[in-house]
Amino acid sequence: MLILIPQDAATVLRASGAWGRLSLRISQPDDLAVVGGISEGGGSIISVDPPPPAPRLLASCDSRPTGYWYRAKNELHALWHLLRVRRDTAMKLDVFKDAVPNGFKTPGDGGYVALTHAPGVKDAYPESRLPDLVAWHVTRAGFQPLEMSAEPETTGIRQLDHHWPVQELQNAHIMLVGAGSIGSATAHALAGYGIGHLTLVDPDRLQWHNLVRHTSSRRHIGRTKVTALAEELTQLRPDTAVTPLALDVIEHADQIRALLMDTHLVVCTADGVAARRVTGHLARRADRTAILACVLQYGALGEIIRLHPWRRHGCLTCRRHSLTEAGSLDPEPALDAGYGTGTRHRPMTAVGPDLHLVAHLAAKTAAATLLEHAGHPDQRLPGEHALIGLRRQPGWAAPFDLGRTAELRWLPATPPRPGCPTCEAP
């Protein structure tokens, strides 16, 4: 059985005296229990349940007086570690009793669960990282260790403080245009990187055919995709504040333009050339970098384009024209048509994991762009235009002629074309 110790319970145990009683909420099918109540000595058991919303166990299982907790000698926790390695090894009850100076209770027929707190164990064994709270099954025949997991004081993205530039990304604000199959996975990945604030822009609702590629579940059918995503991210990644906006980037361009003033970077995963071009145009006018992500040729190629608002970096239209003049092809030759027809990118022709692979590369590009700007040269990307082969596509001209699945090619930026209404100053 795994014993879970929520943070509130751990705090009470560490601040209490020599011994007391425990109540647990037990799920037999899961072989799992969570500490729900603690007493000081022989006094009343006080609830240590966390505040609502209650986790599944707390909501479905009654709290029952089940065992005891004790202040223990450090050596007992070293023994807990050793017995766990040896598996199914029990020790005589007298050993446990001697390591618990006060309040020891003799077990009945079925024994009981015990927690022990050894406040000095970390100083006594600094290299071993032994926990100060551990769990036991105590019977008349002896005692054995139980699996235990205590909620740490620091949870969420701040656990990575010493390994990842959490603070810079927590201060960042990204606007994500498009919350479909690529967009939903991009949103999750951006939150996973620790982006502090996401604004989600998409007017569409989640429908049945979306489920095979979208990250949202069927319980959100009929809701706007941004509302569903915001709710899921808030529960899964509470370090990221999410603002859902059921807006169309073309129809509501004026509102988007105003919001960009408080945004550090824009990511566009919208399906359609028009939405991508409008997003790039608005971002450049706002002096913001835009990252465009899509799939091409019926899901055979993934593409990430980073558009900096810099003098030598052209917009999406300039890039497409430059490639065409160099003998390549234009994979987006016309403006929008209806959903799933014309020159849409047709993400519905790809499987969800391929779309999510593109989404994660887009999120990595966004995080690396922010971090490089914040002074992290180790996050520098090899180019401004990434192509990833999702399956071999014979017959396409360079640079889209990727010969192998998962092949990744980075290209440099192309300069603005004379007279470009996006790249030239208004």
Side-chain angles (χ1 to χ4, degrees):
M1 175 178 285
L2 172 64
I3 309 296
L4 299 178
I5 308 176
Q7 190 174 115
D8 288 348
T11 300
V12 171
L13 283 169
R14 288 170 178 139
S16 298
W19 71 279
R21 295 185 291 157
L22 285 177
S23 64
L24 301 177
R25 296 180 186 274
I26 300 173
S27 172
Q28 295 292 355
D30 295 319
D31 199 22
L32 180 66
V34 58
V35 177
I38 297 170
S39 79
E40 177 79 39
S44 300
I45 294 179
I46 306 300
S47 173
V48 289
D49 287 341
R56 177 177 58 88
L57 268 180
L58 300 185
S60 60
C61 299
D62 293 333
S63 183
R64 290 181 285 168
T66 312
Y68 298 91
W69 66 268
Y70 304 105
R71 183 71 61 87
K73 296 178 180 177
N74 299 328
E75 292 78 6
L76 185 65
H77 285 215
L79 185 59
W80 176 84
H81 176 72
L82 182 64
L83 292 176
R84 283 178 66 244
V85 173
R86 292 181 176 176
R87 292 185 178 274
D88 300 325
T89 302
M91 295 288 291
K92 292 184 178 179
L93 191 58
D94 286 344
V95 176
F96 187 89
K97 186 176 179 179
D98 291 343
V100 176
N102 294 295
F104 176 75
K105 303 298 179 185
T106 301
D109 292 339
Y112 59 77
V113 170
L115 296 181
T116 53
H117 176 218
V121 73
K122 292 181 180 178
D123 293 333
Y125 302 95
E127 303 299 326
S128 61
R129 305 179 68 177
L130 292 173
D132 65 334
L133 294 168
V134 300
W136 307 90
H137 185 214
V138 181
T139 67
R140 290 175 178 171
F143 66 103
Q144 287 182 294
L146 292 174
E147 293 297 315
M148 173 281 311
S149 179
E151 184 180 0
E153 294 181 5
T154 301
T155 58
I157 193 68
R158 295 197 180 281
Q159 293 178 96
L160 305 180
D161 260 335
H162 300 296
H163 312 286
W164 181 245
V166 170
Q167 192 57 51
E168 285 97 331
L169 295 178
Q170 279 286 282
N171 293 333
H173 186 169
I174 289 181
M175 176 183 289
L176 177 62
V177 178
S181 48
I182 298 178
S184 61
T186 302
H188 278 273
L190 289 171
Y193 280 120
I195 300 298
H197 194 167
L198 284 179
T199 295
L200 307 178
V201 177
D202 194 320
D204 290 348
R205 294 179 181 272
L206 189 72
Q207 299 187 49
W208 298 108
H209 67 271
N210 298 131
L211 296 178
V212 71
R213 300 176 184 86
H214 206 274
T215 60
S216 294
S217 68
R218 63 176 54 225
R219 75 186 183 89
H220 292 293
I221 287 290
R223 305 178 77 189
T224 61
K225 294 175 180 176
V226 291
T227 303
L229 259 179
E231 185 175 303
E232 291 169 342
L233 288 170
T234 299
Q235 293 181 354
L236 186 62
R237 306 289 183 195
D239 297 310
T240 299
V242 184
T243 302
L245 297 175
L247 299 177
D248 183 293
V249 71
I250 302 172
E251 183 180 348
H252 304 101
D254 285 346
Q255 294 181 54
I256 301 299
R257 184 181 290 111
L259 293 169
L260 286 174
M261 295 302 102
D262 295 326
T263 302
H264 297 107
L265 186 144
V266 184
V267 179
C268 179
T269 61
D271 180 24
V273 179
R276 286 154 53 81
R277 287 177 175 162
V278 168
T279 299
H281 179 85
L282 294 175
R284 192 173 185 100
R285 285 286 185 264
D287 199 29
R288 302 291 187 267
T289 296
I291 293 167
L292 314 180
C294 70
V295 291
L296 302 170
Q297 192 61 4
Y298 303 98
L301 291 169
E303 183 183 62
I304 312 292
I305 300 177
R306 182 167 63 168
L307 301 173
H308 287 299
W310 298 346
R311 188 166 59 88
R312 297 183 180 279
H313 287 236
C315 67
L316 174 64
T317 304
C318 293
R319 165 157 288 274
R320 294 301 191 213
H321 280 299
S322 296
L323 289 175
T324 302
E325 290 173 356
S328 182
L329 52 82
D330 183 355
E332 300 178 295
L335 295 179
D336 259 341
Y339 186 72
T341 63
T343 57
R344 288 274 189 175
H345 303 104
R346 301 180 181 179
M348 72 289 294
T349 58
V351 295
D354 275 0
L355 299 172
H356 297 178
L357 179 63
V358 174
H360 284 213
L361 183 58
K364 178 62 181 177
T365 302
T369 300
L370 292 170
L371 291 175
E372 184 182 357
H373 182 72
H376 294 268
D378 59 337
Q379 291 292 320
R380 183 172 299 162
L381 296 170
E384 307 299 329
H385 184 175
L387 296 168
I388 182 168
L390 302 177
R391 64 176 184 274
R392 189 170 68 87
Q393 193 63 27
W396 272 42
F400 302 100
D401 57 337
L402 300 182
R404 295 287 187 273
T405 295
E407 183 177 351
L408 180 62
R409 178 176 296 165
W410 282 93
L411 309 170
T414 52
R417 290 168 55 82
C420 173
T422 292
C423 297
E424 291 196 348

